[in-house]
Amino acid sequence: MTDQPLDVTAGVDTHGHTHHAAIIDPLGRHLADAEFDATGPGYHQLLTWLESFGTVAAVGVEGTGAYGAELARHLARAGLTVVEVDRPDRKMRRMKGKSDPIDAYAAATAVASGRATGTPKTRDGIVEAIRALRVVRRSAVKARTQAINQTRQLVVTAPEQVRAALRDLPVKELTARCARLRPGTDLTDPVPAVKFALRRLGKRVGALDEELQELDVRLKALTRQAAPELLEVKGVGPDVAGQLLATCGDNPDRLGSEAAFAHLCGVAPIPASSGRRDRHRLNRGGDRAANHALHTIVLSRMRWDERTRAYVERRTGQGLATKDIMRCLKRYVAREVFQVLNSKNTTKSRGRDDFAEAA
């Protein structure tokens, strides 16, 4: 008989500087493991090593959104099936220990057994560009808020001759006046020292305002190019749309259904029934940034959308609390957003437009 090539399954434990790969056969037996550099040549060597064992059915990669992002892209471009694998839980680590080979074999076993089936984000399109710019914007917003809070605190404790001119001013005027202060050179005195600190904070806020304006212009253009239909949904602006796009990735079809998208966003209802009481509770899992985006849409609709306000009134009359009503609305909005993001594949299901389904 001639030798037949094996259908093998691989697993990779990823790190910042090295990746550890392992191979198992269809019966789950360990064949080999090796370590490779987390560089371009290292990815090529890893791929060549994997293919030397036969036909690679799939590769389970830990951390496809972090250390394994480029490796996942490299393997996908080579035509291999990449599966996203979670790290082993604490119970498994207590039983089998922790090492790079153990984690790599565990990743391969999770794929071969069917426990790991998630498709990673491709991270090679316009949505990945939006995500990268949103990282910078988020940190700029936090830094701006921190600088404003520090400015107000310094004004509260400043000497009266400084505080009198800056007390009870709106943020924009306060930071503008602080940026124009002239502290002098003698910083041993508290008055010029406080003026110097306020001047630096005012200039910092101004620079961050300019940075945010530039980022908003670019993000708005990218978001409109990526998903113009999403911006037409009630309550969805460029910031909310950017977050929802970043959550789904460049390949939203990796989410098999709108229920899967709801779970990803943490808006799928969790059963909390007991005895004769039948109810659901809020889901506190999933992507909390995406959950916040859906929450923002719901708040906007509860204030401005007549249909939503009528729904809230009806459900309130049925005895539901506000948080339960918002849970229902977020589930409905998740369905609507998913259908828009997958409009090419869900044209037949876009007619589902009944608030009763959200309950």
Side-chain angles (χ1 to χ4, degrees):
M1 296 179 61
T2 58
D3 293 334
Q4 297 294 328
L6 287 175
D7 287 335
V8 297
T9 304
V12 183
D13 181 30
T14 59
H15 299 280
H17 299 288
T18 60
H19 297 330
H20 203 98
I23 292 285
I24 63 173
D25 66 8
L27 298 179
R29 292 175 297 193
H30 296 185
L31 298 181
D33 65 273
E35 186 176 82
F36 301 90
D37 292 334
T39 60
Y43 299 146
H44 182 72
Q45 294 171 9
L46 189 152
L47 178 60
T48 304
W49 181 80
L50 293 179
E51 293 177 339
S52 67
F53 289 89
T55 303
V56 181
V59 183
V61 180
E62 283 190 23
T64 57
Y67 292 136
E70 180 58 28
L71 175 63
R73 284 191 288 259
H74 184 85
L75 296 176
R77 286 194 295 265
L80 298 184
T81 300
V82 181
V83 179
E84 186 172 6
V85 177
D86 295 331
R87 67 177 185 177
D89 57 25
R90 293 182 178 179
K91 180 180 179 181
M92 187 64 65
R93 292 193 175 192
R94 284 195 299 267
M95 292 173 57
K96 296 187 176 181
K98 168 72 176 75
S99 70
D100 293 347
I102 289 176
D103 288 348
Y105 279 119
T109 303
V111 174
S113 64
R115 287 188 289 108
T117 58
T119 302
K121 298 178 183 178
T122 56
R123 299 181 180 273
D124 58 357
I126 188 172
V127 174
E128 179 63 12
I130 292 174
R131 188 196 67 82
L133 293 184
R134 283 184 56 80
V135 171
V136 181
R137 186 185 186 278
R138 184 165 58 249
S139 63
V141 169
K142 289 183 179 180
R144 180 181 182 274
T145 302
Q146 184 183 42
I148 291 173
N149 291 339
Q150 291 172 341
T151 301
R152 285 174 168 167
Q153 184 181 16
L154 277 176
V155 169
V156 170
T157 59
E160 178 60 24
Q161 62 189 94
V162 178
R163 186 167 53 131
L166 302 175
R167 183 186 299 165
D168 299 329
L169 293 178
V171 172
K172 188 173 182 180
E173 186 177 354
L174 173 63
T175 55
R177 286 197 184 184
C178 288
R180 295 195 299 267
L181 289 174
R182 297 182 179 277
T185 58
D186 183 16
L187 299 184
T188 59
D189 186 1
V191 172
V194 169
K195 286 184 176 181
F196 181 86
L198 290 173
R199 177 183 172 88
R200 298 314 308 167
L201 287 171
K203 287 182 174 293
R204 183 182 302 173
V205 173
L208 289 170
D209 283 336
E210 294 180 3
E211 182 179 336
L212 286 170
Q213 290 176 4
E214 180 183 3
L215 286 169
D216 286 341
V217 169
R218 296 183 182 276
L219 279 169
K220 186 176 181 179
L222 288 174
T223 304
R224 186 167 296 280
Q225 181 181 346
E229 302 87 358
L230 185 59
L231 291 173
E232 297 176 2
V233 177
K234 288 185 178 180
V236 177
D239 186 57
V240 169
Q243 178 56 58
L244 294 173
L245 286 170
T247 298
C248 290
D250 287 292
N251 50 333
D253 54 317
R254 70 192 181 91
L255 303 171
S257 65
E258 49 91 12
F261 177 69
H263 273 284
L264 177 63
C265 295
V267 297
I270 303 298
S273 303
S274 178
R276 291 180 295 177
R277 187 179 184 186
D278 186 13
R279 62 179 293 270
H280 292 77
R281 68 167 177 84
L282 297 174
N283 186 344
R284 294 176 175 82
D287 186 339
R288 303 315 297 172
N291 188 285
H292 182 266
L294 296 179
H295 188 82
T296 302
I297 298 173
V298 168
L299 287 178
S300 175
R301 292 186 178 187
M302 288 176 67
R303 185 171 183 179
W304 304 109
D305 185 44
E306 292 298 329
R307 289 184 64 213
T308 305
R309 296 173 67 176
Y311 175 81
V312 172
E313 183 178 354
R314 175 168 64 86
R315 297 293 278 174
T316 301
Q318 295 174 355
L320 261 69
T322 301
K323 66 177 183 179
D324 292 325
I325 296 174
M326 295 186 71
R327 173 189 62 77
C328 298
L329 287 171
K330 285 198 285 187
R331 181 65 180 84
Y332 170 81
V333 172
R335 177 183 299 120
E336 183 179 357
V337 168
F338 179 80
Q339 290 173 354
V340 171
L341 291 174
N342 292 269
S343 57
K344 295 182 180 179
N345 300 323
T346 59
T347 52
K348 296 182 180 180
S349 63
R350 292 190 67 174
R352 299 171 62 188
D353 192 22
D354 185 4
F355 272 112
E357 296 183 14

